[in-house]
Amino acid sequence: MAASSGRTVGSFLWKCGNFCFNFNTVSSNLTRQVLSRQLCVSAVFHRKNLAAAGPEKFSEEFIKKQVEEFNIGKRHLANMMGEDPETFTQGDIDRSIAYLFPSGLFDNKAKPLMKHPDEVFPKQRAVQWGADGRPFHFLFYTGKQSYYSLMHDTFTKALAVEKHQDRLRGKGLFTQDAKQISLVGSRWLLKEELEELLVETISDHDYARFIQLMERLLSLPYCSAEEDFVQRYRRQLEIQSSKQQVQPLQYDQHGVAYSTGDGRRKTATGTVLLRDSGSGSISINGTNYVHYFPVLQDREQLMFPLHFMGVLGRFDMQCSVSGGGHSSQAGALRLAISRAMLSFLSEGQVETMRQAGLLTPDPRIKERKKPGQEGARRKFTWKKR
Amino acid sequence: MLYFGKQIIEISFALWHLPESLPRGLRGTTFSKMSASITGLLKPWTPRVFLVRWSRYNPYYLEPEPRKEVYHIPETELTPEQKEERELKSVRPIKAATNSVTSSVFNDPVLSKFVNMMMKDGDKIIAKGIITQTLENMKRKQVEKYHKAPEGKKAEIECNPYAIFHQALENCKPVIGLASIQKGGKFYQVPIPLTDNRRRFLAMKWMITECRDNKHRRTLMYEKLSQELLAAFSKEGNVVKRKHELHKMAESNRAYAHYRWW
């Protein structure tokens, strides 16, 4: 018997719904008629892409019934928790289940689960042939009918665009600079995502051919007519600057704004306390920065974030740094200063700082020595014999 | 494709057939072999197959732009390419700026490259010191010349040491180079075009080796360098002579130019 590694709790709740009348649940006839059968979801369903795994395991009416039961169970749960059933989100459901059924298990897949049936039961295809055994789709015998029909559609669209271009050329209205589709903030669907969309498995070669065909469609000057089609197979990339964690500004007892930041470079770590007092003095480990960093390049690195934002004389800095050499200490402090400055800056300025390379921690480290060589790259002296 | 040179094994074979000329910069970058999530690309990274020149940054990262003026151009004055580049930069992670780069007006990439080439055993302080002394020396010589010159000639004397350095380097850059190509058992010196980086590298290398080898033992490096740079500025001196010799060799080997297949 397949091990049950997750149980949908919806059915359990109907039992509660039937019994807990004092919670003012709306117990319709439907819920009373629903059998209190418990669902076992086997481990197989946590594997992706079950579509090609064989004949349909669940019929459409079954899935529809599951959806209805889920929705009703959701309303019961909301009532039980004292929340408004209309605005009960999936996050609220997860929290309520974790509260009502606390589990000491560590594996997340073993804990009680209540999600929409579309997320629990994998997408699968209905039976592809009729009562007479004849398949519905003309490409059924290729084995990957959705993939090949998609390729055919794309190519048909490319031909249509080319025909349109030829017609324009015939009329003399063809221009190279027609409006183009903007592709900058998005990426192509990954192979796994495409498989999910098509509900069938495709190979790496198939995926590469698909991308190649789409690129060919995009290379035509008048492809903007098919923009919707193309955007269906693209995903937006997230804006990087939104990932920066900016600490809120703190104020000390005199009302002066201050913030802290820390940074690391190679083996050096540094922390900085930035105060908005307007004198521009910098002290590192108790000494003046001119004495601590006699080399010009290190002092320039300290000033880089301040000069870039144009706030050279504004901040007072108290830095402490340890580890590494003079260059890496300067780099660590530069990162710490940039991070501390974020609290004083607006969103656009944070983005410019990121694009100037001030907010990325430098990942370069000393390359390890390899066995059979004297150093990281240097080999032992070659001896002929 | 952006990173053919670096990520050889990672790309599946089918990607070699992708259209080489992508008309608009970076349209539809493909990630067929990379992990399903993009977050895996944002960490310090070691490649699965180590090429000789690899870096701890994933090739997904873009180069930083440390100059201030680029960010003060208002939206209306940007060309479409610049707008696209800005949009791309907003979704891609950026590498950290190196230690030798600042937003200050005194930061010169050509000069930084020259300092790195002068550097021995990682001692940048000494190399930077030599360059500073060279520039100071050049300025002193030019100012002396300026004060001694008659009124009409004063305007022609260039006193800015940075301008002299750049012009001298330009005068030393060869236009055409030679490559040793084997054909029929013999090696021929074939004239080939040079990339900008290669030309700049050759000019700097010749300058440094000339100053290290061919000068009197007792003169200091900064003195030798300033003499050589001033000579190159007025298109005299050994380095410019070496460049002319290379050009003559390339001209004399013109007959073999068809041996080049790229």
Side-chain angles (χ1 to χ4, degrees):
Chain A
M1 193 50 213
S4 56
S5 52
R7 284 159 177 251
T8 51
V9 193
S11 55
F12 192 74
L13 278 173
W14 305 314
K15 265 206 275 187
C16 291
N18 285 334
F19 296 149
C20 305
F21 292 118
N22 46 344
F23 282 96
N24 298 324
T25 51
V26 176
S27 49
S28 64
N29 284 330
L30 188 61
T31 43
R32 285 194 209 173
Q33 284 159 23
V34 160
L35 303 167
S36 57
R37 119 199 118 232
Q38 278 169 355
L39 286 167
C40 296
V41 179
S42 74
V44 137
F45 296 149
H46 294 289
R47 215 179 66 214
K48 295 250 165 89
N49 216 349
L50 245 261
E56 215 182 346
K57 291 198 165 45
F58 305 101
S59 56
E60 241 188 81
E61 319 93 54
F62 175 77
I63 300 277
K64 254 192 271 185
K65 225 188 293 181
Q66 293 298 313
V67 175
E68 273 172 30
E69 288 172 357
F70 171 79
N71 286 330
I72 294 170
K74 193 167 115 173
R75 297 186 75 89
H76 280 308
L77 183 62
N79 277 328
M80 257 194 275
M81 301 300 291
E83 309 259 355
D84 178 20
E86 304 296 333
T87 56
F88 207 55
T89 60
Q90 184 59 46
D92 294 331
I93 296 179
D94 293 333
R95 273 193 294 273
S96 323
I97 297 296
Y99 170 72
L100 291 169
F101 303 98
S103 161
L105 301 171
F106 293 111
D107 192 1
N108 283 331
K109 293 181 193 166
K111 293 182 183 165
L113 158 88
M114 180 168 171
K115 287 212 189 303
H116 193 85
D118 281 345
E119 292 169 41
V120 173
F121 299 103
K123 276 215 276 189
Q124 50 192 357
R125 287 187 296 180
V127 165
Q128 302 291 325
W129 50 87
D132 56 347
R134 194 159 169 268
F136 297 132
H137 203 284
F138 74 106
L139 288 172
F140 174 77
Y141 287 112
T142 59
K144 302 178 229 183
Q145 62 180 49
S146 330
Y147 168 73
Y148 282 110
S149 76
L150 170 63
M151 296 289 274
H152 277 295
D153 285 337
T154 319
F155 191 66
T156 320
K157 290 193 193 293
L159 287 177
V161 170
E162 280 178 4
K163 200 164 162 190
H164 174 66
Q165 279 173 191
D166 290 336
R167 254 184 280 127
L168 286 177
R169 266 200 205 97
K171 288 188 207 158
L173 300 168
F174 181 81
T175 44
Q176 273 297 339
D177 31 289
K179 185 174 167 298
Q180 299 287 355
I181 308 177
S182 163
L183 297 169
V184 179
S186 53
R187 60 165 172 88
W188 286 118
L189 230 49
L190 296 171
K191 178 166 166 264
E192 289 83 6
E193 291 170 350
L194 186 63
E195 283 184 343
E196 228 177 311
L197 195 69
L198 296 175
V199 199
E200 66 189 13
T201 41
I202 54 176
S203 73
D204 283 339
H205 182 82
D206 292 335
Y207 175 73
R209 292 301 291 235
F210 169 66
I211 299 293
Q212 202 179 354
L213 188 56
M214 289 301 241
E215 294 280 351
R216 192 170 144 189
L217 173 62
L218 288 173
S219 67
L220 304 169
Y222 278 84
C223 59
S224 48
E226 308 297 344
E227 180 165 354
D228 300 322
F229 177 74
V230 169
Q231 293 291 7
R232 241 187 286 159
Y233 298 98
R234 301 215 97 200
R235 291 280 175 271
Q236 287 299 113
L237 291 166
E238 46 184 13
I239 306 283
Q240 289 293 327
S241 58
S242 53
K243 290 190 187 167
Q244 290 294 342
Q245 289 157 333
V246 179
Q247 309 293 336
L249 212 49
Q250 294 154 300
Y251 294 88
D252 68 2
Q253 69 246 58
H254 302 292
V256 175
Y258 73 93
S259 69
T260 52
D262 43 56
R264 268 195 285 199
R265 169 97 215 272
K266 281 189 189 174
T267 29
T269 46
T271 47
V272 143
L273 178 75
L274 215 62
R275 257 194 259 120
D276 195 359
S277 46
S279 66
S281 69
I282 307 175
S283 76
I284 306 177
N285 286 355
T287 53
N288 196 6
Y289 73 109
V290 182
H291 300 310
Y292 194 83
F293 283 134
V295 183
L296 175 68
Q297 185 183 281
D298 301 335
R299 292 199 297 275
E300 273 182 340
Q301 287 298 295
L302 283 189
M303 300 302 168
F304 183 8
L306 305 175
H307 175 263
F308 185 75
M309 293 275 80
V311 289
L312 271 177
R314 183 169 143 194
F315 294 109
D316 240 359
M317 289 195 272
Q318 278 170 339
C319 324
S320 64
V321 68
S322 64
H326 64 97
S327 233
S328 44
Q329 282 187 347
L333 281 180
R334 183 185 89 183
L335 184 60
I337 294 170
S338 321
R339 284 185 178 160
M341 264 174 71
L342 288 182
S343 332
F344 294 92
L345 300 175
S346 70
E347 282 260 348
Q349 288 172 317
V350 167
E351 174 63 19
T352 38
M353 275 192 74
R354 187 189 73 90
Q355 288 191 12
L358 284 166
L359 296 175
T360 325
D362 205 324
R364 301 178 293 172
I365 50 168
K366 192 166 163 174
E367 197 174 324
R368 69 161 280 200
K369 177 198 172 314
K370 284 106 193 172
Q373 294 177 4
E374 194 171 317
R377 297 283 168 120
R378 173 160 164 78
K379 321 285 184 279
F380 290 122
T381 318
W382 180 76
K383 294 201 185 70
K384 196 161 177 181
R385 42 188 77 88
Chain B
M1 281 295 280
L2 275 184
Y3 21 91
F4 264 157
K6 285 190 185 174
Q7 274 209 300
I8 290 181
I9 306 296
E10 293 258 7
I11 303 173
S12 68
F13 76 95
L15 276 176
W16 289 103
H17 302 301
L18 271 179
E20 281 293 328
S21 54
L22 301 172
R24 287 171 296 138
L26 303 165
R27 76 152 83 211
T29 37
T30 52
F31 294 102
S32 61
K33 274 287 194 195
M34 291 197 187
S35 62
S37 68
I38 300 293
T39 48
L41 301 176
L42 302 176
K43 302 178 202 151
W45 173 79
T46 42
R48 242 189 280 154
V49 178
F50 284 83
L51 303 168
V52 175
R53 288 177 156 211
W54 61 281
S55 106
R56 289 272 286 176
Y57 289 109
N58 201 299
Y60 194 46
Y61 280 67
L62 297 176
E63 298 294 329
E65 179 55 78
R67 294 173 298 160
K68 275 210 297 198
E69 15 344 310
V70 173
Y71 300 103
H72 291 318
I73 308 173
E75 280 286 328
T76 45
E77 287 175 31
L78 293 174
T79 63
E81 284 86 25
Q82 279 176 320
K83 283 204 184 96
E84 245 192 77
E85 209 187 296
R86 271 210 189 172
E87 274 182 52
L88 181 72
K89 283 204 156 183
S90 68
V91 287
R92 291 276 199 106
I94 312 269
K95 297 184 188 179
T98 24
N99 258 10
S100 43
V101 149
T102 50
S103 57
S104 118
V105 289
F106 302 111
N107 179 47
D108 189 2
V110 178
L111 205 60
S112 307
K113 209 37 129 187
F114 196 71
V115 168
N116 287 341
M117 286 188 66
M118 287 274 298
M119 180 165 62
K120 276 188 179 176
D121 296 330
D123 215 336
K124 198 180 268 217
I125 305 174
I126 295 182
K128 184 79 183 158
I130 293 174
I131 301 292
T132 323
Q133 286 170 324
T134 311
L135 295 170
E136 189 197 333
N137 202 319
M138 282 204 295
K139 175 103 189 190
R140 280 183 193 278
K141 286 188 185 158
Q142 287 296 91
V143 169
E144 206 183 310
K145 230 167 88 175
Y146 179 85
H147 286 308
K148 284 193 186 147
E151 279 306 320
K153 305 275 183 160
K154 281 204 187 213
E156 293 163 5
I157 299 178
E158 177 63 64
C159 282
N160 184 1
Y162 294 97
I164 299 175
F165 175 78
H166 285 126
Q167 186 56 45
L169 221 54
E170 273 298 320
N171 293 347
C172 295
K173 282 185 185 175
V175 170
I176 195 168
L178 289 173
S180 190
I181 292 182
Q182 187 185 25
K183 192 135 174 125
K186 272 170 58 174
F187 286 89
Y188 297 98
Q189 294 295 315
V190 174
I192 53 162
L194 297 172
T195 57
D196 274 332
N197 278 347
R198 178 77 185 152
R199 295 171 61 210
R200 191 183 61 175
F201 171 78
L202 282 175
M204 291 188 195
K205 185 92 185 165
W206 290 341
M207 183 65 74
I208 293 170
T209 42
E210 162 69 37
C211 293
R212 280 181 185 161
D213 304 335
N214 296 353
K215 296 287 198 225
H216 188 249
R217 186 182 61 88
R218 291 284 292 220
T219 42
L220 296 173
M221 185 66 182
Y222 72 86
E223 179 60 44
K224 295 187 255 192
L225 245 188
S226 55
Q227 281 172 10
E228 201 51 54
L229 281 170
L230 284 169
F233 178 69
S234 35
K235 297 203 176 123
E236 307 147 352
N238 286 345
V239 191
V240 182
K241 199 170 90 171
R242 187 166 171 180
K243 174 187 91 157
H244 287 319
E245 275 168 16
L246 179 66
H247 285 175
K248 277 187 216 141
M249 277 282 285
E251 184 62 36
S252 68
N253 281 7
R254 247 178 93 145
Y256 302 127
H258 66 285
Y259 282 174
R260 180 174 66 98
W261 63 83
W262 65 90

